[in-house]
Amino acid sequence: MHDLSRRALLGSLVAASGARVIAPASAQTDVPQASAGAPAPFGFPNVVKRARDLAAAPFDGSIPPLPDGLANLDFDAWRDIRFKSDKPLLGQDGANFRLELFHLGHLYKRPVVVNVLRDGIPAPIPYAANLFDYGRTKVDNILPINLGFAGFRLRFPINAPHVWDEVIAFLGASYFRFLGRGQRYGLSARALAINANPSLKEEFPFFREFWIETPDAVAEHVVIYALLDSESATGAFRFGLTPGQESVIEANVSLFARKATPALGLAPLTSMYFVGKADRRFNDDFRGELHDSDGLLMHTGAGEWIWRPLRNPAEPSVSAFLDANPRGFGLLQRDRNFSDYEDLDLAYELRPSYWIEPHEGWGAGNVELVELPTSDESNDNIVAFWAPKDGLDAGKSLAYGYRITSLAMDQSLTPGGRTVGTFRVAPRALGAPDPPPPPGATRFLIDFSGGDLSYYMSDPSMVETIATASAGRILRTFLTPNTHIRGFRAGVDVAVDPGQSADLRVFLRAGAKALTETWTFPWLA
């Protein structure tokens, strides 16, 4: 249940081979001075200083060669090397948090240093073969104590008392994943994205070193510090994790630019969308839907809620949603019905949604959504992040913070009705609502549920469908109560000239009151 998936490993293969000033970075860079006779406790300011010093040095992205026997491990041999659960590395036996390490090998060839902080004093964990059970994997050579590790994970009794399940893992480049109660791994978060647009050569920043504060035995909160490096920028990260029904990370970041970095992606999320209700190009599988996330939700600085269903496009696609001081955005898994997936092993209906909430004004920029084509479910083909309008100039710094929440259900996020289904109807589709779409038109059906919609079901005449298109024409709209979702199904017929694209927007309104979020979708005729 909690092992990182083969798709996560494949996605890390690539990783292995906001505002101009959101907050003054200099305010966080002063290292505490030791009082007489006592060393200063290690903390976030120390990591900030290391990141700033690292940015002033030439970039070294080289990876030390692995000893014979590790460099050529295949997936199954690497997975067979397991950390011994009886090795307490974080506090005492019986404590809520348990630390486990990932062994180097297979795709994970770049070592990271993992430190444990006790009473403010960092202690690096030396490599030792007796930390691991090698199973059927044979490593003949004696491995050095400075070998390092591929990453780490923390276990916590999140699903049942006295059962330590994996709650967060850092493995590969700057990727990390975490879970709330009853959730299964799906999408990933990243520390930073650089040049994530398909038209650019993407950079994959990576973590060099971690420091984990030792919580007391009954603590339900843990703090992780991390040092990030890349050709263009370095960074200091503080992650404060609180596991629970909805696990929460409070992130504080200071970035330092080695060179001009105009295409920054803050708080990036990576996911997979293969097939779903709105995209059935691949329909030869008994499973009706295959995705870790099915939409991008945004809460704009002006207060509007926007839902954008995800696609598996035929060609790489980038959508930019201009905004200033966004209140939130995230990749969500809204479809929670097992019957739509029918996958007994992968449990797509239990994949978490990640919701980002900026701590302070992030200024002007845009939420950027990258959708890449994929021919199967093994590829992470979706990326979403905040792109500051002005990027980061060489020698400059940027400090910001945000909260990221791992959600099972997102009804509590939006005050109004939510989009729970998007369907595209071909002109001659069987079962299409009468009358059928006019020749040359495409019909979209959008199911809205929640908020006050059930109140208006007895008198649908009070509800109006507001539909617009950036190009082409809206030919017809219609609205039908949908008792199955205690809401409405909105129908929109749109005509767009062949080869022309249009951005569609639809929401429901009663008088001057918006009843739902705004559904938006790009359509290429």
Side-chain angles (χ1 to χ4, degrees):
M1 172 177 176
H2 300 295
D3 287 339
L4 293 175
S5 69
R6 184 180 295 269
R7 178 168 58 78
L9 293 172
L10 292 173
S12 296
L13 178 61
V14 179
S17 41
R20 182 175 303 160
V21 178
I22 291 176
S26 59
Q28 301 184 20
T29 58
D30 294 331
V31 178
Q33 299 299 311
S35 59
F42 187 96
F44 186 52
N46 301 83
V47 187
V48 173
K49 182 180 185 302
R50 292 192 183 203
R52 185 178 56 209
D53 293 345
L54 187 60
F59 173 65
D60 181 7
S62 61
I63 301 175
L66 288 178
D68 292 341
L70 289 181
N72 298 319
L73 291 180
D74 61 18
F75 171 78
D76 292 322
W78 175 82
R79 186 178 57 175
D80 217 28
I81 305 175
R82 298 180 180 274
F83 188 86
K84 292 180 179 178
S85 59
D86 61 343
K87 302 292 184 182
L89 295 180
L90 197 65
Q92 61 201 58
D93 288 336
N96 278 338
F97 288 95
R98 294 183 178 179
L99 169 64
E100 297 187 356
L101 301 164
F102 291 111
H103 204 286
L104 287 166
H106 188 44
L107 304 178
Y108 303 103
K109 295 176 168 53
R110 184 184 296 279
V112 298
V113 178
V114 180
N115 300 270
V116 172
L117 287 171
R118 293 186 176 92
D119 300 321
I121 300 173
I125 301 174
Y127 174 85
N130 64 4
L131 292 173
F132 296 92
D133 180 348
Y134 285 79
R136 294 166 297 177
T137 300
K138 303 300 181 183
V139 179
D140 298 327
N141 296 339
I142 297 176
L143 301 175
I145 62 171
N146 65 346
L147 179 68
F149 304 97
F152 71 92
R153 63 184 169 194
L154 295 179
R155 293 187 180 273
F156 182 87
I158 190 170
N159 295 305
H162 312 301
V163 178
W164 278 261
D165 288 319
E166 182 173 326
V167 70
I168 192 170
F170 289 82
L171 181 64
S174 71
Y175 289 84
F176 62 96
R177 303 198 290 179
F178 69 110
L179 296 169
R181 187 166 301 155
Q183 298 172 7
R184 297 278 291 271
Y185 273 141
L187 81 167
S188 301
R190 277 197 267 173
L192 185 67
I194 297 177
N195 298 339
N197 191 303
S199 65
L200 304 173
K201 182 181 178 181
E202 185 167 6
E203 239 178 77
F204 288 90
F206 57 90
F207 287 125
R208 284 194 179 275
E209 191 166 1
F210 294 95
W211 297 262
I212 307 165
E213 289 189 354
T214 302
D216 61 43
V218 297
E220 297 187 351
H221 177 81
V222 66
V223 174
I224 301 162
Y225 305 110
L227 177 65
L228 184 89
D229 197 8
S230 75
E231 182 179 353
S232 296
T234 67
F237 288 75
R238 181 190 187 277
F239 301 105
L241 169 67
T242 304
Q245 188 76 37
E246 296 179 348
S247 293
V248 175
I249 291 177
E250 299 285 355
N252 295 95
V253 186
S254 287
L255 298 180
F256 300 89
R258 274 196 174 97
K259 61 181 184 179
T261 310
L264 278 179
L266 309 186
L269 304 174
T270 299
S271 192
M272 182 276 293
Y273 184 93
F274 181 39
V275 275
K277 291 183 176 67
D279 190 341
R280 301 188 182 275
R281 287 188 298 121
F282 303 92
N283 57 0
D284 56 352
D285 197 304
F286 76 94
R287 300 167 296 173
E289 300 190 39
L290 296 167
H291 49 73
D292 289 336
S293 308
D294 52 13
L296 169 69
L297 181 67
M298 292 161 281
H299 191 195
T300 70
E304 183 181 16
W305 290 91
I306 298 174
W307 174 256
R308 163 64 152 79
L310 296 179
R311 305 171 301 157
N312 178 6
E315 301 290 339
S317 172
V318 178
S319 300
F321 302 88
L322 299 178
D323 198 10
N325 300 320
R327 303 184 189 185
F329 68 93
L331 292 175
L332 272 54
Q333 182 80 314
R334 277 190 170 170
D335 194 336
R336 296 294 178 179
N337 299 314
F338 167 78
S339 59
D340 288 326
Y341 304 101
E342 292 290 351
D343 196 311
L344 295 174
D345 297 319
L346 298 180
Y348 284 107
E349 72 278 4
L350 300 180
R351 304 295 170 100
S353 301
Y354 285 175
W355 179 245
I356 306 290
E357 297 173 275
H359 280 172
E360 60 278 310
W362 279 14
N366 58 267
V367 174
E368 195 160 306
L369 173 66
V370 178
E371 297 168 299
L372 303 175
T374 182
S375 58
D376 59 56
E377 62 189 292
S378 67
N379 299 310
D380 283 335
N381 62 321
I382 305 294
V383 184
F385 51 86
W386 174 256
K389 178 182 178 182
D390 298 319
L392 197 57
D393 294 332
K396 300 297 183 180
S397 60
L398 183 69
Y400 58 98
Y402 60 94
R403 171 182 295 171
I404 176 171
T405 304
S406 183
L407 301 166
M409 306 299 289
D410 67 287
Q411 287 92 330
S412 61
L413 286 180
T414 55
R418 305 154 57 246
T419 306
V420 296
T422 298
F423 309 88
R424 181 170 59 86
V425 183
R428 295 180 178 84
L430 296 176
D434 288 329
T442 299
R443 173 167 294 169
F444 290 91
L445 302 176
I446 307 109
D447 281 349
F448 292 105
S449 176
D452 288 336
L453 293 181
S454 61
Y455 173 80
Y456 291 94
M457 290 181 66
S458 62
D459 190 358
S461 64
M462 298 182 66
V463 181
E464 182 181 9
T465 302
I466 307 300
T468 59
S470 62
R473 293 175 296 138
I474 302 295
L475 300 180
R476 176 175 178 254
T477 67
F478 58 91
L479 192 66
T480 306
N482 186 341
T483 58
H484 300 283
I485 61 171
R486 296 190 58 78
F488 289 88
R489 174 166 291 177
V492 178
D493 292 341
V494 58
V496 179
D497 293 336
Q500 188 177 36
S501 61
D503 291 322
L504 312 177
R505 290 170 59 91
V506 178
F507 69 96
L508 303 185
R509 185 174 69 186
K513 178 183 178 182
L515 299 177
T516 67
E517 64 193 12
T518 300
W519 172 92
T520 184
F521 198 74
W523 176 239
L524 174 65

